[in-house]
Structures are given as C-alpha cells and as structure tokens.
Amino acid sequence: VRNKAGNSLVQLGPMLTIDQRNEIAFELIKGLEIDEMQYAKYIPEYLGRFVMLLSPKELDEFIIDLKNIYNNTNERSSALVIDTFGVMVQYYPEYKERFGEDNSVLEKRLIKILGIILGGLANFNTQVKQETFLVIGQYIFGSKILSLKQKHRVFSLIYKKLLTLINEREVSDLFFFNNSASFTHIYRFISDYEFFNGKFDIKENKNLAFFPGTFDPFSLSHKGIVTEIRNLGYDVYLAVDEFSWSKRVQPRLIRRQIINMSIADELGVFLFSDDIPINLSNNEDLKILKSLFPSKEVHIVAGSDVIINATAYKRRPTKSTIHNFNHIEFKRAN
C-alpha cells in the first residue's frame, strides 16, 4: 500500500500546479522526521523522485531544507536525508528536459548535492557513514536508471574525494564487510564502462595548491579561503602540522578530524596524506612534494602571519625552487 501510494504521488505530480507540488513535497519532507521508522523509510524513494517536478527555485530551496534536516536532527533522519539525495541523483538527468536549465546551472546543483552526500562519509555517527557509502555504491553506481556515461560524470567529480574520505576513517572488519557491496557496485561500473566504452579517461586538474598549517581550530575563515582558492581553479590540499612553535595546539588527529568534517562537502578540497611530512624549509621535502604530483603545477599557499614569522619564507629561494613553486599569499581580513 505504501509503495502504491508513493508511486501514485509521482504519477500525479505532472498534473498538479507548482504550488500543489510544493505542498506535497513539504508534507513528504516532514515525514523524514517522524519517529516510526517503518513508515519513514519509504519516503526517500518517492520524495527524491517527486522533487524533480519542482521548479528550479523551489528545488534549490528544497535542497537547503534537506541539508538543514541533515545537520540538525538525529542520525536516523540524517541517514534518510542521504537516501533522498541518492534518489535525486538517479533522476536528476531528466530535470533538464523538464525545465531546460543551462548545463552550467545543472552541473553546479549536481556538485552541491554530491557534496552533501559525501559529507555523510565524515559524519561522527557510524550509522550515517554506513548509509552514505551504501547510497554511493548501490543508489548511484549500482543504479539501473543512470547510464554509464552519467555514472562516469559523477565518478569523475567525486572519485578523489571519495578515496580521501574513506582513507581518513578507521575502518573495522565489520564495517568493511557491511560496505563490500558498495565497493562491488563501483568496481562493476568501472568494468562495464571499460568494456562498452574503451579507455576510462578522467580529466585531471593540472593546478594544485598545497596549504600547510596548524589549523587550530579549522575555522569558517579557513574554509572561506580554501573555497576561494578552489574556485580560482586549483585542487587544494590541506596539510596539518604536527605542532606549532608559537602556541599550544590540540592533538593533530583531532584537528584532522575537524578539518575532514568541515571540508567533506567541498569537492576539489582534500586532506594531504598524514604519512608524508613536508617541511617547507627542507629542500628534500620540497622535491618529494613535487615528485608526488609530477604532471601538475604545485603552488604553496601561506597566510601573511606565516610569511612574517616562518624562517622558510625569509631565506633567499634557489632558482630551482623559484622555477617549481609559486607562492600565493592570501591575507586574511580582520
């Protein structure tokens, strides 16, 4: 009965006015927060499909409302929100045919949705993490609705972010086996794409910004700087320093976790590997950094306070260093 009711709403949607569709979407979204899970679990499938009938303005407002539920409610409702976004990704390609939006606008919205989904992998709650990885594997890459080309586009947007977020977690054997099906869906998609389309090409960003710091704590100002650099066309890697000479800092792993949760929804922003320490005053470390990205232009980002106080920026750089690295200073506004 519940499935029949959900399908009926989706079929009736195109016959309704925009205002009527908004009212139904609003009622459905409230259902994500009800206590009875045996009812709430049916809602994401039909809510995710129904909102594809909303006008662009209402759809953007709906995405904000969903994100607020994810941020401000319990883990059960947060997991249902991630489910809803997963369904939206499956049916999103048909949205252009319905409202004829420009490709750049459609792409920007898709990136926003994918960013919210990826944010679930950095959630402090294990249930939300597991549900998020299930959605990525089963709902998106295991989807029978999305074409291989559409899946490839999603993969090209999130693959690097996905790898870094999975790497940052301590994954127990049980957690891994619970999510093995998701890995299988991703692997099968890659295999199918190579079989039917040949070479699996992914366009790489050649510009890379290396941003070291203590980040104690990682603030909204830090995030604003990072996203502005990303928007200039760089992949940004944040390297968390072990300690600071000028102040006492929180444990490094705690600072990494805060950063990971803060940037999880930002595509093109990554945590640098914790296994490779880079000291900017050490020429050998700079060579190692460059060798990690042999085909990219590596830029170093530093705040004005670091430039003033760090000895690495007071020494006269060598010609090779000048050739290989560009220093970008982003002064923070008070």
Side-chain angles (χ1 to χ4, degrees):
V1 171
R2 294 167 194 159
N3 284 321
K4 182 66 176 178
N7 282 316
S8 297
L9 282 175
V10 174
Q11 292 170 7
L12 286 169
M15 306 177 220
L16 303 177
T17 66
I18 291 296
D19 289 340
Q20 290 171 332
R21 296 177 195 176
N22 289 339
E23 290 179 17
I24 292 178
F26 180 74
E27 290 299 323
L28 286 174
I29 199 174
K30 288 195 297 185
L32 296 176
E33 300 180 86
I34 63 176
D35 293 332
E36 291 81 4
M37 186 62 178
Q38 66 267 32
Y39 304 123
K41 67 181 181 180
Y42 288 91
I43 293 175
E45 169 68 22
Y46 305 107
L47 177 58
R49 291 165 60 187
F50 191 86
V51 296
M52 291 297 104
L53 300 171
L54 300 181
S55 66
K57 180 177 180 294
E58 278 70 30
L59 178 58
D60 291 335
E61 292 175 354
F62 173 83
I63 291 172
I64 294 173
D65 291 340
L66 264 184
K67 188 175 182 181
N68 288 336
I69 293 175
Y70 171 81
N71 290 331
N72 300 322
T73 55
N74 57 46
E75 63 276 5
R76 179 185 53 76
S77 296
S78 296
L80 291 174
V81 167
I82 296 296
D83 290 342
T84 304
F85 278 122
V87 175
M88 289 171 64
V89 172
Q90 291 186 70
Y91 289 91
Y92 190 64
E94 68 187 34
Y95 196 74
K96 181 180 180 180
E97 300 175 8
R98 196 165 284 139
F99 292 97
E101 278 191 303
D102 186 74
N103 285 333
S104 62
V105 177
L106 289 165
E107 180 91 343
K108 186 177 180 180
R109 187 184 294 117
L110 176 61
I111 289 173
K112 184 174 184 178
I113 294 172
L114 292 174
I116 297 172
I117 294 174
L118 288 170
L121 290 177
N123 196 283
F124 61 90
N125 184 272
T126 302
Q127 177 186 342
V128 178
K129 290 180 180 179
Q130 290 178 326
E131 190 67 21
T132 300
F133 201 44
L134 172 69
V135 166
I136 292 171
Q138 181 175 317
Y139 283 41
I140 298 177
F141 294 108
S143 171
K144 296 187 182 342
I145 299 166
L146 294 172
S147 67
L148 286 175
K149 184 178 179 181
Q150 290 162 347
K151 292 178 185 178
H152 181 272
R153 181 55 190 153
V154 173
F155 186 84
S156 66
L157 290 170
I158 72 169
Y159 78 98
K160 191 183 297 185
K161 191 76 177 181
L162 183 62
L163 284 173
T164 56
L165 287 171
I166 292 174
N167 238 8
E168 281 298 311
R169 295 195 314 241
E170 290 186 9
V171 182
S172 65
D173 289 342
L174 179 60
F175 191 92
F176 177 84
F177 286 121
N178 283 339
N179 290 281
S180 59
S182 295
F183 284 112
T184 301
H185 285 303
I186 296 172
Y187 175 76
R188 184 176 295 132
F189 149 68
I190 295 173
S191 299
D192 288 347
Y193 189 91
E194 289 182 330
F195 180 81
F196 290 106
N197 297 284
K199 191 175 180 182
F200 196 92
D201 287 323
I202 296 178
K203 186 177 179 181
E204 284 279 349
N205 188 353
K206 298 296 184 182
N207 293 316
L208 183 145
F210 180 76
F211 192 175
T214 53
F215 303 116
D216 185 38
F218 188 81
S219 65
L220 290 176
S221 296
H222 287 124
K223 186 172 182 178
I225 293 169
V226 167
T227 54
E228 283 300 318
I229 298 170
R230 189 271 314 277
N231 293 341
L232 289 173
Y234 296 86
D235 278 350
V236 184
Y237 283 80
L238 297 169
V240 184
D241 293 340
E242 181 78 33
F243 60 90
S244 171
W245 291 106
S246 58
K247 58 183 177 180
R248 295 181 63 181
V249 296
Q250 297 181 77
R252 178 176 49 83
L253 291 180
I254 291 178
R255 286 180 281 131
R256 283 185 69 89
Q257 185 65 21
I258 292 173
I259 295 173
N260 201 40
M261 295 175 68
S262 300
I263 66 170
D265 61 342
E266 295 292 345
L267 302 188
V269 182
F270 314 96
L271 267 174
F272 188 71
S273 174
D274 203 27
D275 300 327
I276 308 173
I278 299 294
N279 183 347
L280 296 182
S281 63
N282 187 316
N283 287 338
E284 293 303 315
D285 283 3
L286 292 178
K287 291 178 182 177
I288 291 173
L289 176 62
K290 180 60 179 173
S291 69
L292 294 173
F293 308 99
S295 61
K296 299 188 177 184
E297 289 291 331
V298 180
H299 305 256
I300 295 177
V301 182
S304 56
D305 55 338
V306 176
I307 299 251
I308 293 171
N309 297 313
T311 57
Y313 293 93
K314 293 181 180 179
R315 254 184 355 188
R316 183 180 295 276
T318 63
K319 289 183 179 180
S320 60
T321 306
I322 293 174
H323 177 73
N324 289 326
F325 297 93
N326 297 315
H327 289 70
I328 309 172
E329 179 184 354
F330 289 85
K331 294 186 177 179
R332 300 185 182 92
N334 292 328

